[in-house]
């Protein structure tokens, strides 16, 4: 299993822990750091919908909690509708929501490198690789505020 496949599998495992009783749509994310460490997150919904947290944001915040935001190099995102058994399945590929694209832009600018964003389905081999600039063209971020990588 190569590094990308391991990252996607970590996102799939995180997806299995999603707290998504309202949308019934589970998402898992895995962030690979420059030293190969993987940090994961899953969506965490709340009865007050606006307070829900997306998997990508949870994973990037976890990397930041370790002081490793500048070390992010790749992100995998996996998600799908949950069946009656509470497990997401299927071969449809999910992509990050707009909020997560903005958070990924922040991580990319602070890391000072182009991040690979891998989007995959809960099952199967289908995989699409994106760049943040493709997902969020003309993004506003730290550079627009005069903040350079590694400095806040």
């Amino acid at each position: 299993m190569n590094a990308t496949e391991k990252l996607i599998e970590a996102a799939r495992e995180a997806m299995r822990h999603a707290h998504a009783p309202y949308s019934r749509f589970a998402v898992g994310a895995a962030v690979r750091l420059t030293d190969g460490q993987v940090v994961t997150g899953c969506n965490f919904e709340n009865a007050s919908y606006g307070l829900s947290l997306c998997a990508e944001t949870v994973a990037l915040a976890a990397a930041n909690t370790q002081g490793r935001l500048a070390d992010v190099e790749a992100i995998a995102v996996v998600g799908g509708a949950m069946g009656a058994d509470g497990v997401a399945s299927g071969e449809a590929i999910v992509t990050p929501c707009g909020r997560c694209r903005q958070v990924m832009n922040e991580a990319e600018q602070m890391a000072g490198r182009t991040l690979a964003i891998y989007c995959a389905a809960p099952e199967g081999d289908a995989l699409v690789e994106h760049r943040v600039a493709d997902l969020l063209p003309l993004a506003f971020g730290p550079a627009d505020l005069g903040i350079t990588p590694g400095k806040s």
Side-chain angles (χ1 to χ4, degrees):
M1 188 178 293
N2 68 35
T4 300
E5 291 168 336
K6 288 178 183 176
L7 191 65
I8 291 165
E9 188 51 42
R12 285 180 173 149
E13 179 60 31
M15 177 185 66
R16 293 180 184 101
H17 301 288
H19 177 69
Y22 309 106
S23 72
R24 304 291 298 157
F25 195 87
V27 180
V31 173
R32 185 174 59 233
L33 305 175
T34 53
D35 65 359
Q37 178 184 348
V38 174
V39 180
T40 62
C42 59
N43 55 322
F44 187 81
E45 294 180 353
N46 187 282
S48 173
Y49 297 119
L51 297 179
S52 296
L53 300 171
C54 297
E56 302 92 308
T57 299
V58 170
L60 286 166
N64 186 60
T65 298
Q66 296 179 21
R68 307 284 310 271
L69 187 61
D71 296 335
V72 173
E73 68 177 18
I75 303 168
V77 181
V78 176
M82 297 165 67
D85 59 0
V87 177
S89 61
E91 295 184 17
I93 294 175
V94 68
T95 58
C97 72
R99 175 180 181 233
C100 288
R101 293 172 191 212
Q102 181 65 39
V103 171
M104 289 175 179
N105 176 64
E106 182 90 7
E108 181 174 271
Q109 286 192 29
M110 296 311 288
R113 72 178 60 80
T114 300
L115 303 181
I117 312 299
Y118 301 107
C119 298
E123 300 173 311
D125 296 328
L127 172 70
V128 178
E129 181 178 347
H130 297 284
R131 299 286 178 236
V132 173
D134 298 326
L135 293 171
L136 189 65
L138 305 173
F140 180 85
D144 296 296
L145 299 172
I147 298 172
T148 55
K151 298 182 180 181
S152 53

